[in-house]
Amino acid sequence: MNDETPSKPRDPASDVLWGFWYPALRSDQLHGQKLERAMLLEVPLVLGRDAAGKPFALRDVCPHRAFPLSLGRFDGASVECAYHGWQFDAHTGQCRHVPSLTADSKLKCDRIYAGSFPCEERDGYIWAFMTNPEGRASIPSGTSAGVTAEAALPPPAPELPTFSPRYQIARLSADLPCSVDHGIIGLMDPAHGPFVHQAWWWRSRRSIRDKAKQFEPIPNGFRMSAHAPSANSAPYKLLKLITGEPATTMIDFVLPNQRFEQIRAGRYWLSSRTTVTPIRADLCRLDFVAAWNILPWFPLVSFIIHVLGPRFIRQDTEVIEKQALGLKYGDRMMLVDDADRQARWYFELKAMHLESQRTGAPMRHPVSGPVTLRWRS
């Protein structure tokens, strides 16, 4: 694809990336033995905590009559369907009891399963490993049929990097009325800031200047190498003023939907992760979490995140809502020059990952080595 070739993202419904962790709920949304509903990748989920507090995620559909399991009861170990009382192990989905069966029934309950998904808790989020739409156990591509149960386990859920034992943490979220593709390429777009996020504390049209950033490949993604932050951003100027140290920032994008940013200034640091998670083909959710040790005794960073952060996100949401008016007539896009190169890499990474899954061959990386991109913003 050359720099002026129109590009159309592939159908998000057919290109959903399975075999990855996605944040389903905030940790504080699960209380006691109460069941909660969520939707990920157009798959309905029921989530809860067992008697020991460990989270679980089942497909919110009883395999008997498709009744939502979230409307049933939970005793700390098994989820009971409210329609006929079938009971399922909260973690494996295995059927434990069918009340209507007689003693001489030949039906083997333990061969019946509700869909289940590996579940972990990290950074104040409940993560679900989305194996496939049905929640069947799956063996990672490239492994043999005789693979052990341990080898078939998913990798650990994502975790926000932190760099000292004591820090503060904050979280924000917003619904984005668009496909995950448009949400993600909007997340990594470097050129819209002076137009969408105009503010005295961020950017203005008068602040547009030449930028040059070096990128390098990383597993399942790409990295904007550590560099001095943009001189036309007030928060970075303030950070240097507070710490007295030159600051650097490094930004990673990793499939399927994660953007990490690390800002370092001497012993001070701020680490953030933004995810764009597909809920439906036309809806995704942005989750932002940040941890920092900058002036823990003074709520400056907390103010920026909790007060200015929602405004920043709201501006992006409003743009996406307006963009949806045009997308109704087709989502053909023109990805041009270096400013849109990250979006092109995202589509190429996604396509190459899907091809690797289909063929079992190692995934080819669209970024062959360090490269410098230049744009104005």
Side-chain angles (χ1 to χ4, degrees), residues 89-101:
D89 181 274
H91 291 286
T92 67
Q94 186 178 46
C95 185
R96 298 301 192 192
H97 180 56
V98 176
S100 62
L101 294 185

Side-chain angles (χ1 to χ4, degrees), residues 33-50:
Q33 295 182 6
K34 185 180 178 181
L35 299 175
E36 295 291 343
R37 304 178 68 184
M39 180 79 74
L40 290 182
L41 287 65
E42 299 197 345
V43 176
L45 299 178
V46 54
L47 298 104
R49 296 184 185 275
D50 63 18

Side-chain angles (χ1 to χ4, degrees), residues 9 178-187 320 323 327 331 333 347:
C178 63
S179 73
V180 68
D181 282 346
H182 286 292
I184 287 177
I185 65 173
L187 178 70
I320 287 173
Q323 183 188 27
L327 291 176
D331 58 357
M333 299 181 300
F347 287 122

